[in-house]
Amino acid sequence: MLASGNVEPLWFAKQFLGRPYVAHTLEVNQEEALVVNTRELDCTTFVENVLALAMCSRRGERGFVDFQRQLQLLRYRQGMLERYPSRLHYFSDWIIDNVAMGHVVEIQHPAKLFSAVQTVKVNWMSTHSGSYRALRDNPDFCAVIKQQEQRLTGKQYHYIPTRNILNSKLMREVVHDGDVIAIVSTKKGLDIAHLGFAMWKNGVLCFLDASSIHKKVVVEPISLYQYLTKRKQVSGFRLIRLK
């Protein structure tokens, strides 16, 4: 799937259209290992695979080992694969780490669009540890995850609330094709509800995602504004761009 030249994320995202949505594809090993699965995707692995391919393209790298390296850099804290807690489980943590590593930037201006503030408060994994095999089998991991949650809790980020999503000149200038859309969750203990890519279609901002509803990678048949207004416990989106 690697292409020649400097190909942008949206091109790679479109190559996955129709691929089946499958949850928990990273939870297949007893010990933490880099899972490479481009045949079955959830929203996070879809985003990671696309960005890793785009990173390879920008660097002129075309080998499978190159792709593995970029994927690991995105998925694990400081790119170091150690045990289960080294994976960036919360997407707010993913953003912080990948911004620090210079892979992505988070857009938080202009204030006219980014008029809402998310105060992160996460504890979902530590309070639902029974739902995660690695935490059930390794109770000591839960303490590490809880420390990570505590470090994230209280951080604040500007985002675009649903009410501000307009198909305007300003929105087109700010939101680019292939930007990562990180949908802000209002569910207790979670930070981000879903991920995908921005896609402008006939002047309308749309959403390309690995959909648990459609059971595959799709361009949603309605606008991003309509998509968000139909979802419960979400309030808008944070905007992430590959550097």
Side-chain angles (χ1 to χ4, degrees):
M1 191 174 288
L2 290 182
S4 60
N6 186 354
V7 180
E8 293 303 308
L10 186 59
W11 186 89
F12 286 108
K14 289 178 178 179
Q15 309 314 302
F16 287 100
L17 286 170
R19 297 285 174 93
Y21 174 94
V22 179
H24 312 301
T25 57
L26 301 186
E27 315 304 326
V28 294
N29 300 304
Q30 290 292 333
E31 298 292 331
E32 188 70 17
L34 181 68
V35 174
V36 180
N37 184 350
T38 60
R39 301 178 307 279
E40 303 164 322
L41 304 160
D42 63 22
C43 70
T44 303
T45 59
F46 172 49
V47 166
E48 288 179 336
N49 278 306
V50 167
L51 294 184
L53 287 166
M55 288 165 71
C56 286
S57 175
R58 291 183 177 189
R59 290 161 175 77
E61 299 172 346
R62 300 187 54 128
F64 181 65
V65 172
D66 300 317
F67 173 64
Q68 287 179 299
R69 181 175 62 256
Q70 300 301 342
L71 191 60
Q72 179 173 317
L73 286 171
L74 290 168
R75 184 173 292 164
Y76 291 93
R77 193 177 309 281
Q78 296 296 294
M80 301 297 293
L81 194 168
E82 294 173 344
R83 303 178 81 187
Y84 181 77
S86 70
R87 197 194 313 165
L88 296 161
H89 296 282
Y90 288 99
F91 201 69
S92 289
D93 210 6
W94 189 103
I95 296 168
I96 291 169
D97 192 77
N98 280 285
V99 167
M101 294 280 283
H103 302 144
V104 302
V105 293
E106 178 166 12
I107 313 300
Q108 297 188 71
H109 60 277
K112 182 177 181 180
L113 286 182
F114 292 81
S115 61
V117 176
Q118 179 186 32
T119 301
V120 175
K121 186 175 182 181
V122 289
N123 62 13
W124 184 268
M125 291 183 70
S126 63
T127 57
H128 295 78
S129 57
S131 300
Y132 299 87
R133 187 183 69 182
L135 298 184
R136 292 197 308 269
D137 295 347
N138 302 275
D140 56 313
F141 288 173
C142 196
V144 179
I145 294 294
K146 191 168 185 178
Q147 290 174 351
Q148 294 172 357
E149 293 171 339
Q150 290 169 345
R151 287 196 294 270
L152 284 171
T153 293
K155 293 186 181 298
Q156 293 187 321
Y157 302 96
H158 291 272
Y159 70 94
I160 300 178
T162 302
R163 65 179 178 274
N164 285 3
I165 301 175
L166 304 170
N167 297 317
S168 63
K169 181 176 182 290
L170 178 60
M171 184 68 80
R172 289 193 294 273
E173 290 173 350
V174 172
V175 181
H176 298 177
D177 277 337
D179 284 350
V180 176
I181 300 290
I183 296 174
V184 175
S185 174
T186 59
K187 189 172 184 176
K188 185 178 179 181
L190 290 177
D191 56 338
I192 299 299
H194 191 43
L195 303 171
F197 291 96
M199 177 179 171
W200 287 96
K201 188 176 179 182
N202 299 323
V204 176
L205 183 56
C206 297
F207 188 50
L208 199 168
D209 66 325
S211 170
S212 61
I213 297 171
H214 300 288
K215 304 300 182 186
K216 61 184 178 180
V217 177
V218 297
V219 177
E220 294 291 341
I222 54 179
S223 71
L224 178 62
Y225 173 79
Q226 293 170 318
Y227 178 86
L228 292 179
T229 56
K230 288 177 177 291
R231 289 180 67 96
K232 296 179 180 179
Q233 296 181 299
V234 302
S235 57
F237 68 91
R238 292 168 63 179
L239 188 66
I240 316 302
R241 181 172 300 152
L242 187 66
K243 287 184 74 172

